[in-house]
């Protein structure tokens, strides 16, 4: 599918080879000496694969050709903001800022926005909204979020699906502590009246652990460092190992864009003469996925 968008207010039942995979306009922020925020769009890509009982991994994705406007954060908008916390850990440079409209988690020198909570609305107008649609296209069962950040996707998912069982992984304990303090993550760790809950796990998802052993109906992969997809996601073996964690008919939903999108999502390279579609095909994470699931890659 190309140029296909699924309205978030209208869900469809799961069908073979149908993926929720919509390209939106997330954003990063540049911070200058006058303490103003200006948005700089980045372009992610969302992918979905689903696991069948006969180990056939069907893979498809769609890219929306249209840029969707950010109503809350325009490209030329500047806002006054307050820095709530700024610190360096073994894994991240953490900056949490508060604006009149939202609270944001920025990581690393790229100032990529890894989480955002708006004060007067739930929808973000960005890729976290698409993550929240995953439960409708997967079997009933727990969902894993690899790269929890401040918990934006978890907030949306438990709001929409209050009985959902979520397991969220994050490598940085200090980041999780700050998310509990400033993004209400601790509220999600309390069981809802419908039985839903977020279980937080601290650790490296690429290192075998007892915590990451069960099978999931869906796995969200949102793993970045310095604005780029983690290099492990370039490896075919990584996807095959993650695939073993899916239930029958389970699916991945993957953000493999990054600050620059396309090939730059991993290695920072760009090619001005390459078309948008061709650029995405050069994305190393996409290449690894196509090799992991040969013959099942639809563009």
């Amino acid at each position: 599918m190309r140029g296909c968008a699924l309205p978030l207010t209208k869900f469809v039942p799961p069908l073979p080879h149908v993926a929720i995979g919509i390209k939106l306009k997330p954003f990063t922020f540049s911070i200058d000496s006058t303490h103003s925020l200006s948005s700089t769009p980045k372009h992610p890509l969302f992918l979905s694969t689903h696991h069948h009982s006969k180990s056939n991994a069907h893979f498809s994705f769609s890219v929306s050709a249209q840029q969707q406007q950010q109503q809350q954060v325009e490209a030329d908008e500047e806002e006054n903001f307050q820095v709530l916390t700024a610190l360096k850990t073994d894994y991240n440079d953490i900056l949490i800022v508060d604006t009149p409209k939202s609270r944001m988690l920025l990581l690393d020198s790229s100032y990529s926005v890894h989480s955002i909570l708006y004060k007067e609305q739930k929808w973000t107008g960005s890729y976290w909204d698409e993550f929240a649609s995953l439960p409708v296209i997967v079997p009933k069962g727990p969902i894993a979020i690899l790269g929890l950040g401040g918990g934006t996707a978890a907030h949306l998912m438990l709001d929409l699906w209050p009985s959902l069982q979520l397991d969220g992984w994050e490598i940085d304990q200090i980041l999780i502590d700050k998310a509990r303090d400033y993004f209400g993550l601790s509220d999600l760790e309390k069981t809802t009246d419908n039985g839903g809950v977020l279980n937080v796990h601290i650790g490296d998802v690429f290192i075998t652990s007892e915590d990451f052993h069960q099978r999931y109906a869906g796995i969200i992969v949102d793993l970045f460092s310095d604005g780029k997809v983690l290099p492990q996601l370039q490896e075919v073996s990584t996807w095959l190992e993650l695939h073993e964690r899916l239930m029958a008919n389970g699916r991945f939903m993957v953000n493999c864009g990054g600050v620059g999108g396309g090939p730059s999502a991993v290695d920072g390279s760009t090619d001005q003469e390459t078309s948008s579609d061709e650029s995405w095909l050069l994305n190393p994470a996409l290449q690894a996925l196509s090799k992991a699931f040969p013959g099942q890659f639809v563009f």
Side-chain angles (χ1 to χ4, degrees):
M1 296 185 296
R2 297 181 61 185
C4 174
L6 178 66
L8 293 170
T9 55
K10 297 181 181 179
F11 293 126
V12 296
L15 296 172
H17 305 289
V18 173
I20 303 297
I22 303 169
K23 178 183 174 185
L24 296 175
K25 276 180 61 182
F27 40 86
T28 57
F29 287 91
S30 58
I31 300 181
D32 59 31
S33 58
T34 61
H35 288 235
S36 63
L37 285 174
S38 59
S39 62
T40 306
K42 66 177 180 180
H43 309 282
L45 185 65
F46 303 97
L47 314 168
S48 175
T49 75
H50 51 105
H51 182 286
H52 288 269
S53 57
K54 295 183 179 180
S55 298
N56 293 323
H58 292 269
F59 175 80
S60 61
F61 72 92
S62 62
V63 180
S64 173
Q66 297 180 346
Q67 299 274 337
Q68 296 196 8
Q69 291 186 346
Q70 296 282 347
Q71 295 181 349
Q72 286 72 35
V73 184
E74 299 292 342
D76 58 353
E77 179 185 8
E78 292 189 353
E79 288 186 296
N80 293 325
F81 70 95
Q82 177 186 4
V83 175
L84 299 179
T85 188
L87 71 159
K88 185 177 181 64
T89 73
D90 291 340
Y91 301 100
N92 290 294
D93 293 312
I94 298 174
L95 183 65
I96 297 176
V97 298
D98 194 66
T99 79
K101 298 177 181 178
S102 64
R103 181 166 292 180
M104 292 173 287
L105 169 67
L106 287 70
L107 298 179
D108 305 317
S109 59
S110 66
Y111 294 120
S112 296
V113 178
H114 284 244
S115 293
I116 186 168
L117 289 181
Y118 285 102
K119 298 179 179 180
E120 297 181 357
Q121 66 183 62
K122 291 192 178 294
W123 295 117
T124 67
S126 192
Y127 70 91
W128 299 283
D129 299 352
E130 309 310 321
F131 284 161
S133 69
L134 181 58
V136 80
I137 60 168
V138 297
K140 184 177 181 179
I143 289 178
I145 302 175
L146 310 186
L148 185 60
T152 300
H155 272 285
L156 290 170
M157 295 176 81
L158 282 173
D159 185 66
L160 286 172
W161 320 99
S163 63
L164 194 62
Q165 301 291 312
L166 291 177
D167 281 344
W169 266 265
E170 179 59 53
I171 198 170
D172 193 337
Q173 176 70 65
I174 296 175
L175 174 55
I176 290 298
D177 292 340
K178 294 302 179 182
R180 289 169 174 151
D181 290 341
Y182 295 106
F183 289 90
L185 195 67
S186 56
D187 293 336
L188 305 182
E189 297 176 89
K190 302 172 184 176
T191 304
T192 70
D193 292 339
N194 298 91
V197 68
L198 168 66
N199 300 302
V200 175
H201 305 272
I202 306 299
D204 188 337
V205 297
F206 300 118
I207 297 176
T208 303
S209 71
E210 293 183 1
D211 286 338
F212 193 39
H213 68 279
Q214 68 171 314
R215 291 186 181 272
Y216 292 94
I219 299 177
I220 289 171
V221 182
D222 192 21
L223 297 169
F224 289 82
S225 179
D226 291 322
K228 302 181 182 69
V229 174
L230 294 185
Q232 291 93 328
L233 299 180
Q234 299 178 70
E235 303 296 331
V236 172
S237 59
T238 297
W239 293 108
L240 295 177
E241 290 169 5
L242 290 176
H243 183 257
E244 292 301 314
R245 302 272 61 82
L246 283 176
M247 297 167 50
N249 297 313
R251 291 181 181 244
F252 293 125
M253 186 171 277
V254 184
N255 175 11
C256 64
V259 172
S264 64
V266 175
D267 60 16
S269 63
T270 57
D271 185 347
Q272 299 298 326
E273 297 181 357
T274 303
S275 71
S276 176
D277 289 353
E278 291 172 339
S279 175
W280 281 114
L281 290 175
L282 295 175
N283 181 293
L286 292 188
Q287 292 178 345
L289 278 162
S290 66
K291 291 176 182 177
F293 311 114
Q296 299 167 66
F297 186 90
V298 181
F299 184 76

